[in-house]
Amino acid sequence: MKKDISVSLDMLMTGQVLRNLIRKRGYTIAEIQRELQLSCPQPIYRWMRGQTMPSIDNLYKLSVLLKVHMEDLVIPRQDEVWILQDMQNLFGLRRLLRYHKTCRKIYRGKQGGEINE
């Protein structure tokens, strides 16, 4: 029986990990730029903001520079957390729908000459 392997990466969390490790190891953005031989620091800022991901080459260089495994730099998206958040949103949606139904009943009652209080 084959298991479906579908993993996506959490770019925001990966960016936070990169930012924290760079600071923890005492590197500046300019030093990382120089070590990775980047022409400008913008990609590093985009990685740290979770807007883009480093290439495999840059990810490997970062892992060597920061003295961690490549796997420790990337954070997989945790669908269980998203499901939990969706369920919490679902409860809020149910409350909103009940409120909407109540408002509609009151509105219909006022249009029909009834006054509901």
Side-chain angles (χ1 to χ4, degrees), residues 64-75:
V64 171
L65 188 64
L66 299 173
K67 298 180 176 124
V68 295
H69 292 282
M70 284 176 57
E71 292 174 352
D72 296 334
L73 291 177
V74 293
I75 306 299

Side-chain angles (χ1 to χ4, degrees), residues 1 3 5 15 27 38 40 57-59 63 84 89 96 104 114:
M1 181 165 109
K3 217 176 185 184
I5 299 176
Y27 287 103
L38 299 172
C40 67
D57 290 343
N58 286 330
L59 197 59
S63 73
L84 179 62
N89 290 339
L96 184 60
R104 281 187 10 210
E114 299 175 24

Side-chain angles (χ1 to χ4, degrees), residues 29-47:
I29 300 300
E31 290 170 331
I32 298 291
Q33 175 189 348
R34 190 171 41 257
E35 290 293 327
L36 299 180
Q37 299 175 353
L38 299 172
S39 60
C40 67
Q42 299 313 331
I44 301 166
Y45 289 114
R46 286 193 291 269
W47 301 338

